[in-house]
Amino acid sequence: MTTLVWSYQDEYAAERVDILDAVDSVFSSGQLILGESVSRFEKEFAAFHGAEHCVGVDNGTNAVKIGLEALGIGEGDEVITVSNTAAPTVVAIVGTGATAKFVDVDPVTYLMDTSQLAAAVTDRTRCILPVHLYGQSVPMEPVLEVARAHGLEVLEDCAQAHGARQHGRAVGTAGGAAAFSFYPTKVLGAYGDGGAVLTNRAQVDKNLRRLRYYGMEERYYVDALPGHNSRLDEVQAEILRRRLRRLDGYIAARRAVAARYQEALSDTSLVLPAIEPGNDHVYYLYVVRHPRRDTIIERLRDYDIHLNVSYPWPVHTMAGFAHTEAAKLSLPVTERLAGEIFSLPMYPSLAPDRQDRVIESLRAVLATVDAG
């Protein structure tokens, strides 16, 4: 049996009755767009994080884009972020008319190297966008210090860090706003696309609600542009409400999988994940590192194990950004990591026997690779 990075079928089987009930409850209500399920989920998701406001949107990319726009970021502005991220982070920045400016990442945690932020600020910089990668938080105090010193906004990309904490504080509550994705594989995933933006600022909340609904505050009347059709679906919101109640359990299961990998692989040549001090890691991904990554992945296919790389191409090297200044950058840590990192299977329903098979196969492959 092929070992997958994510097992939709296992999780659906465990939650099928509740998921189908969620769908039926929405269809029976007759409220299919921006109804009670969205409203309740927004309140519950905000409360889970200790945030004042939550606005549901249609996907994580638009959560970043609309989050930036709600903070006043747009044409001609500059947003500092990282290239070691999923491309949608940068696609969203560009979509606002702003320019992405990259700093490198820390060689140990693979998170934004906050020591590079101050030197990256220019007179066009308006926002810092830290990406809480793989399930843990960027060190936020240095980010906030630079933002305060230069009058910058901070939008946190929390697509991979639902439920993570730093020094006891929920990820997504430190900056001016925070974007979340509920893509099905996420720590808190929907059964389709979905996203949300958290904020503690009333005006930003008002901006978000206008932006997701064509630019309207009152139905049929566009008050201001830009505006989008970017509403969280009622069915997905109701499913997310049910799954939010189980989020702590999902996280505990992910941490148990991570602990098994740590115990079984700590004596190998793999570089295992490092945790930033003060972080509570939720292990959206379990990312390891090896200089002969491609050989390891290829040989594991002989064991019918197929692993993923997050991410094989730094954003600034992609053809779609070749016309930008970013294409001229040298980000040595990011570029080196792209050739060495890969992800081991990580999902809450990963059974110990299947994980053991991954571990045993990986150890066998490493023995041959390390021997030359």
Side-chain angles (χ1 to χ4, degrees):
M1 183 188 299
T2 301
T3 300
L4 301 175
V5 172
W6 178 66
S7 177
Y8 165 86
Q9 293 87 352
D10 290 347
E11 293 183 14
Y12 179 62
E15 300 179 3
R16 181 175 182 272
V17 172
D18 199 26
I19 298 302
L20 294 180
D21 182 68
V23 174
D24 183 67
S25 70
V26 172
F27 288 168
S28 298
S29 75
Q31 295 182 315
L32 302 182
I33 304 292
L34 292 184
E36 285 299 312
S37 290
V38 169
S39 178
R40 288 171 181 166
F41 173 71
E42 289 174 339
K43 290 182 174 64
E44 291 162 10
F45 195 66
F48 180 88
H49 291 85
E52 293 293 324
H53 310 284
C54 171
V55 177
V57 297
D58 57 342
N59 58 64
T61 307
N62 278 338
V64 176
K65 182 181 180 183
I66 292 173
L68 288 168
E69 290 174 345
L71 293 170
I73 310 304
E75 192 73 36
D77 294 338
E78 199 170 69
V79 179
I80 300 175
T81 190
V82 292
S83 185
N84 182 35
T85 184
T89 303
V90 183
V91 169
I93 293 170
V94 174
T96 69
T99 299
K101 184 167 186 179
F102 298 113
V103 295
D104 214 339
V105 295
D106 182 274
V108 176
T109 64
Y110 317 151
L111 301 167
M112 175 182 276
D113 184 348
T114 58
S115 71
Q116 298 186 18
L117 285 174
V121 176
T122 72
D123 58 3
R124 292 176 50 206
T125 306
R126 297 290 178 271
C127 183
I128 303 173
L129 201 164
V131 180
H132 302 310
L133 198 67
Y134 304 149
Q136 66 170 329
S137 178
V138 171
M140 285 306 294
E141 191 50 43
V143 174
L144 297 174
E145 285 178 6
V146 173
R148 287 190 291 263
H150 295 275
L152 307 178
E153 294 286 2
V154 174
L155 175 72
E156 300 175 66
D157 183 338
C158 302
Q160 301 187 11
H162 309 73
R165 291 182 174 270
Q166 184 169 86
H167 300 297
R169 181 174 188 168
V171 165
T173 59
F180 289 80
S181 168
F182 302 122
Y183 187 78
T185 61
K186 301 301 185 185
V187 179
L188 177 62
Y191 276 66
D193 256 328
V197 186
L198 291 180
T199 184
N200 287 319
R201 288 155 55 177
Q203 185 58 54
V204 174
D205 174 63
K206 183 177 180 180
N207 294 346
L208 289 165
R209 295 183 186 281
R210 174 181 59 77
L211 284 161
R212 77 167 174 189
Y213 194 60
Y214 309 111
M216 297 178 180
E217 291 186 20
E218 183 179 346
R219 195 176 182 188
Y220 301 128
Y221 187 87
V222 175
D223 297 272
L225 293 174
H228 310 278
N229 178 8
S230 181
R231 300 167 296 203
L232 178 61
D233 182 78
E234 274 289 294
V235 170
Q236 299 302 339
E238 186 59 34
I239 291 171
L240 287 165
R241 288 189 66 219
R242 313 287 181 100
R243 304 201 82 206
L244 179 61
R245 299 164 193 162
R246 295 190 281 268
L247 180 54
D248 288 338
Y250 299 151
I251 292 170
R254 287 177 178 273
R255 287 174 175 157
V257 171
R260 285 175 62 83
Y261 281 136
Q262 179 67 35
E263 181 178 4
L265 298 171
S266 61
D267 64 339
T268 70
S269 56
L270 290 176
V271 178
L272 303 184
I275 301 178
E276 177 71 24
N279 276 355
D280 293 329
H281 205 311
V282 297
Y283 294 101
Y284 168 59
L285 298 174
Y286 192 88
V287 175
V288 298
R289 182 178 175 186
H290 195 283
R292 299 191 64 190
R293 184 269 311 279
D294 293 343
T295 300
I296 292 168
I297 289 178
E298 182 180 352
R299 293 187 184 178
L300 280 169
R301 294 191 185 108
D302 294 337
Y303 294 83
D304 205 17
I305 293 174
H306 303 264
L307 302 184
N308 190 37
V309 178
S310 301
Y311 300 93
W313 301 285
V315 175
H316 72 286
T317 68
M318 295 180 183
F321 301 97
H323 64 288
T324 70
E325 292 183 9
K328 305 172 187 175
L329 286 174
S330 174
L331 300 171
V333 177
T334 296
E335 290 161 18
R336 185 166 66 251
L337 290 176
E340 297 182 356
I341 57 176
F342 61 106
S343 302
L344 304 186
M346 169 58 72
Y347 47 92
S349 58
L350 180 59
D353 61 329
R354 296 186 74 186
Q355 187 178 6
D356 286 343
R357 182 168 159 263
V358 173
I359 292 167
E360 290 164 8
S361 302
L362 182 54
R363 290 186 68 94
V365 168
L366 286 170
T368 62
V369 168
D370 293 341

